[in-house]
Amino acid sequence: MKFPHRRQFLHLAASAVALPAVSRIARAQAYPSRPVRIIVGFAAGGATDIVARLMGQSLSERLGQQVVIENRPGAGTNIATEAPVRAPSDGYTLLWANAANAVNAALYQKLSFDFIRDITPVAGVARIPRRIAILQPSRPSGPSPPARDGRRLCRRCNRSRACGRAHRGTPGAAYEKMRDQDRQQSASGLPSNA
């Protein structure tokens, strides 16, 4: 069965609820009737915070209620994740979740919450592609690449601490490190260690 419009789907879902045999007076409370908090696990001013604030502003305009962005950095976003888990399940405390939450579920053995059980996804906001690039030599007589695929590259990096030009970290941090190495290399005139 296809639902051409979201409101129709919500209406059909609401009309399928069984009514009690004895009538009661019930008034639906409009959502939201008070400010909504969005908990962000990163410090203010970063990319995640900026996107969350833009989304919060848009939601505030659409819902007619204030949306407050609350930054709770630390412990790899676990501090922020714990806040909505402990809050009442009323939809007024939301978590700005990202890949770090999935990593933490596998990385930490003793968390005070179960991310899969305790957090319910509401909406997807952004997708961020991740890539690994293996640079080929610029000239045919140049050195051969350290690896021809991702599996070989990972093995090489795990064997050696000084892994040539492979970097781990956020895109910004890795980019800065590579740029600094390029500057040092061009200033010294020494060949690259790739």
Side-chain angles (χ1 to χ4, degrees), residues 61-75:
E61 292 167 3
R62 291 182 73 189
L63 297 174
Q65 190 61 254
Q66 185 179 11
V67 176
V68 178
I69 305 300
E70 186 177 320
N71 299 90
R72 291 194 181 188

Side-chain angles (χ1 to χ4, degrees), residues 14 36 70 77 81 94-95 105 107 119 123 127 141 143 160 170 177 191:
V36 175
E70 186 177 320
T77 70
T81 305
L94 306 174
L95 173 67
L107 186 63
I119 302 293
R127 290 188 179 154
S141 62
S160 169
T170 62
K177 190 172 181 181

Side-chain angles (χ1 to χ4, degrees), residues 172-191:
Y175 172 76
E176 292 296 323
K177 190 172 181 181
M178 286 176 15
R179 193 177 69 182
D180 290 345
Q181 281 184 350
D182 286 343
R183 285 181 185 159
Q184 289 172 357
Q185 182 216 345
S186 64
S188 66
L190 297 174

Side-chain angles (χ1 to χ4, degrees), residues 153-172:
L153 180 65
C154 288
R155 272 187 270 168
R156 181 177 186 270
C157 287
N158 287 333
R159 275 188 259 130
S160 169
R161 285 186 178 206
C163 187
R165 298 184 52 84
H167 301 283
R168 299 176 189 168
T170 62

Side-chain angles (χ1 to χ4, degrees):
M1 179 179 210
K2 292 185 179 181
F3 298 101
H5 195 274
R6 185 175 177 195
R7 286 186 185 157
Q8 182 181 1
F9 173 76
L10 294 175
H11 174 71
L12 290 173
S15 65
V17 175
L19 297 174
V22 179
S23 110
R24 297 180 192 169
I25 297 175
R27 290 188 179 97
Q29 186 179 17
Y31 175 85
S33 60
R34 59 189 162 111
V36 175
R37 290 186 317 153
I38 298 178
I39 311 292
V40 177
F42 298 94
T48 304
D49 177 64
I50 291 169
V51 174
R53 288 180 188 280
L54 290 170
M55 182 60 71
Q57 181 180 357
S58 176
L59 279 173
S60 183
E61 292 167 3
R62 291 182 73 189
L63 297 174
Q65 190 61 254
Q66 185 179 11
V67 176
V68 178
I69 305 300
E70 186 177 320
N71 299 90
R72 291 194 181 188
T77 70
N78 289 330
I79 293 171
T81 305
E82 195 168 350
V85 168
R86 299 211 182 278
S89 299
D90 56 5
Y92 287 94
T93 305
L94 306 174
L95 173 67
W96 192 272
N98 61 22
N101 298 104
V103 171
N104 291 343
L107 186 63
Y108 294 94
Q109 293 179 5
K110 295 183 181 181
L111 292 172
S112 62
F113 56 86
D114 180 348
F115 186 75
I116 303 299
R117 181 193 69 217
D118 296 335
I119 302 293
T120 302
V122 176
V125 176
R127 290 188 179 154
I128 302 170
R130 305 285 185 204
R131 302 285 187 264
I132 295 177
I134 300 173
L135 300 175
Q136 298 298 320
S138 58
R139 55 189 188 282
S141 62
S144 62
R148 296 207 179 268
D149 60 38
R151 210 176 263 174
R152 290 178 185 157
L153 180 65
C154 288
R155 272 187 270 168
R156 181 177 186 270
C157 287
N158 287 333
R159 275 188 259 130
S160 169
R161 285 186 178 206
C163 187
R165 298 184 52 84
H167 301 283
R168 299 176 189 168
T170 62
Y175 172 76
E176 292 296 323
K177 190 172 181 181
M178 286 176 15
R179 193 177 69 182
D180 290 345
Q181 281 184 350
D182 286 343
R183 285 181 185 159
Q184 289 172 357
Q185 182 216 345
S186 64
S188 66
L190 297 174
S192 171
N193 61 351

